Amino acid sequence: MNRDVEKPFGYVWDRGSLVALPKDLRIRYVEHMLGLLGEKFKYLMDTYDYDQNLYPGPPHSVRMEEIQKLYGERCTIDLIESKMHNRPFNEKLRESNCLFNKLYFLKNKN
């Protein structure tokens, strides 16, 4: 981003970007996104949490532990909603009854 032309972002709603990416691309994505943010920001992240042995993705399962590793150094992370996803991606997930849609709120630690 050219900071001479564009100001840093103060708000982000990630409604599917992180979960669309394979694990090996997520670090670069997060570094890029954090580089676009201003000093004080609010970041809403919509994710899925499920057993990836039952469905490999995408969308991929991104659990709190991974979010903490990716964002935790710079951000406070709060789970603000967790609910059963009502449209499983395949029959195995439907039978497992363990597909959750999770919503996180992140902000700068400072």
Side-chain angles (χ1 to χ4, degrees):
M1 176 170 77
N2 183 344
R3 297 224 184 227
D4 294 331
V5 178
E6 183 66 52
K7 295 179 185 176
F9 293 100
Y11 302 92
V12 172
W13 179 21
D14 180 338
R15 191 185 169 273
S17 298
L18 188 66
V19 296
L21 296 171
K23 194 170 193 123
D24 60 326
L25 293 179
R26 293 179 198 155
I27 292 172
R28 284 193 350 222
Y29 168 77
V30 170
E31 288 171 352
H32 178 73
M33 290 303 296
L34 290 176
L36 298 174
L37 298 173
E39 193 172 308
K40 294 186 179 189
F41 61 85
K42 296 179 181 176
Y43 198 121
L44 196 60
M45 183 184 312
D46 199 349
T47 68
Y48 295 106
D49 186 342
Y50 63 88
D51 180 352
Q52 278 212 242
N53 293 316
L54 300 176
Y55 180 75
H60 300 282
S61 177
V62 180
R63 295 193 162 148
M64 176 57 152
E65 296 81 13
E66 184 175 0
I67 294 169
Q68 187 65 42
K69 285 179 187 175
L70 292 169
Y71 292 91
E73 190 173 305
R74 183 163 170 200
C75 304
T76 61
I77 303 163
D78 294 309
L79 175 65
I80 58 174
E81 184 176 85
S82 179
K83 63 181 179 180
M84 188 82 67
H85 188 66
N86 60 0
R87 292 177 297 179
F89 310 129
N90 70 11
E91 194 57 40
K92 288 181 183 177
L93 281 174
R94 184 184 324 279
E95 291 169 1
S96 76
N97 213 23
C98 290
L99 170 60
F100 294 91
N101 186 223
K102 296 193 175 188
L103 191 61
Y104 295 93
F105 177 72
L106 291 70
K107 65 181 179 180
N108 198 333
K109 283 186 174 178
N110 299 327

